[in-house]
Amino acid sequence: MTIVEITGNLATIGYGLAALGPGIGLGIMVAKTQEATARQPEVAGLLRTNMFIALAAIEALGLIGFAAGFVF
């Protein structure tokens, strides 16, 4: 194994670990939004809007982790 192969393997493992955080975060966020909507249906629109804004921020973190695996 060369150093390039080892670095590539570590980058792959690093991206897998970096994807865990956003995945767990999205799951918790959607679950809590659904729970809040069930409790107060009249604010469903506002909750949905806030959920999509947060979804974009969380996905950006996942993409940064993906790009960092290639850069470093």
Side-chain angles (χ1 to χ4, degrees):
M1 275 188 141
T2 65
I3 192 72
V4 174
E5 291 173 353
I6 293 172
T7 304
N9 291 337
L10 289 176
T12 304
I13 292 170
Y15 173 63
L17 292 175
L20 280 176
I24 292 170
L26 285 172
I28 292 171
M29 180 187 62
V30 171
K32 293 297 182 178
T33 301
Q34 292 298 317
E35 182 180 325
T37 301
R39 290 182 184 201
Q40 290 185 314
E42 64 273 6
V43 294
L46 180 62
L47 289 171
R48 188 179 311 115
T49 302
N50 288 339
M51 182 185 73
F52 285 131
I53 292 170
L55 179 136
I58 293 171
E59 286 295 325
L61 292 175
L63 289 173
I64 290 170
F66 179 70
F70 286 114
V71 172
F72 301 115

